[in-house]
Amino acid sequence: NATIEVSGLRKRFGPTVALDGMSFTVQPGRVTGFVGPNGAGKSTTMRVVLGLDTADAGTALVGGRPYRQLRTPLRQVGALLDANAVQPSRSARNHLLWLAHSQGIGRARVDTVLGQVGLAAVARRRAGGFSLGMRQRLGIAAALLGDPPILLLDEPVNGLDPEGVIWIRGLLRSLAAEGRAVLVSSHLMSELQDTADQLVVVGRGRVIADANVTELLAAA
Ligand code: ADP
Ligand code: ADP
């Protein structure tokens, strides 16, 4: 059951309404673009799905269960939330080895994903010295480590150079072609319209439009 099901999420931060009835489903075998202006609630939704934050109301299921009930979360859900979440003093490779070890994932996966994201040559350098684009790649490597059927990537294009932007498009397409459910956010529709199969457009904590990209562009 490689789906993400978000239903009626509500969340306030003090007076700020971050989520106001956020609902959508992410299907396997597709790239679902999660698009909306900054502050629309994309990161908060992803954090709630990943159990890093709690909603005031509503439910979020990954693979049919709340994230916290997953026994081997990295094998079921991969996520890129914040490219700065790497430990700066560790090498890229040691960061991934530590993550793999903590989740019972074999060491061989580390070199596989380093190659997949184009960091093999710099894998022994301190992640603290990485550019934003390299940290994004490392975050994506961490998300891929457990070979999960579900991926959530928050603004993965940020900080990538043009070559990196093309690379990530191809990566997202191939992950979906392998049958994975891929949710990818951006504040720019233009970043996702050529890559996504489905677009979930959000504003002020709720879904404004949820449509198949081909149909959406045909109607425009
Ligand atoms: P997006 O990812 O679409 O840019 P966010 O989910 O980050 O949107 O933010 C939604 C709203 O919630 C914004 O108004 C933001 O300022 C607010 N918000 C998010 N996280 C916090 C927090 N930890 N404390 C206070 N307000 C927050
Ligand atoms: P802590 O709560 O001690 O910070 P976590 O286990 O939540 O530890 O996260 C440790 C590291 O694993 C962080 O760098 C985080 O970004 C990363 N991480 C956690 N969950 C995932 C996931 N599903 N996919 C990829 N990386 C993850």
Side-chain angles (χ1 to χ4, degrees), residues 15-103:
T16 306
V17 176
L19 301 180
D20 187 19
M22 182 71 75
S23 302
F24 61 91
T25 300
V26 178
Q27 300 289 351
R30 291 177 168 202
V31 176
T32 298
F34 196 25
V35 186
N38 289 324
K42 304 182 297 296
S43 298
T44 303
T45 301
M46 288 189 173
R47 291 180 56 79
V48 170
V49 170
L50 294 165
L52 296 168
D53 216 334
T54 53
D56 302 329
T59 55
L61 303 179
V62 272
R65 291 167 181 269
Y67 187 87
R68 286 170 188 287
Q69 287 180 16
L70 302 178
R71 284 188 303 125
T72 51
L74 286 198
R75 291 173 193 256
Q76 285 160 281
V77 187
L80 169 75
L81 276 184
D82 179 358
N84 296 311
V86 301
Q87 296 109 326
S89 59
R90 281 195 173 136
S91 73
R93 194 159 180 279
N94 280 340
H95 173 72
L96 294 174
L97 282 170
W98 167 79
L99 264 184
H101 178 72
S102 72
Q103 298 279 321

Side-chain angles (χ1 to χ4, degrees), residues 5 9 21 33 36 47 64 66 73 80 84 87 108 117-118 129 131 135 162 166 168-169 179 184 197 206 211 215 220:
E5 296 161 280
L9 290 185
R47 291 180 56 79
L80 169 75
N84 296 311
Q87 296 109 326
V117 302
S131 67
R135 278 178 276 142
I166 293 168
I168 199 156
R169 284 198 176 140
V184 52
D197 301 291
R206 57 165 74 199
E215 289 165 15

Side-chain angles (χ1 to χ4, degrees), residues 101-124:
H101 178 72
S102 72
Q103 298 279 321
I105 295 165
R107 299 170 67 94
R109 279 292 297 166
V110 169
D111 293 310
T112 303
V113 295
L114 281 166
Q116 219 176 338
V117 302
L119 290 180
V122 296
R124 288 187 163 75

Side-chain angles (χ1 to χ4, degrees), residues 169 173 189-197 199 213 217:
R169 284 198 176 140
R173 292 303 330 153
M189 175 91 78
S190 57
E191 267 178 8
L192 294 177
Q193 66 188 24
D194 297 334
T195 308
D197 301 291
L199 280 179
V213 172
L217 294 179

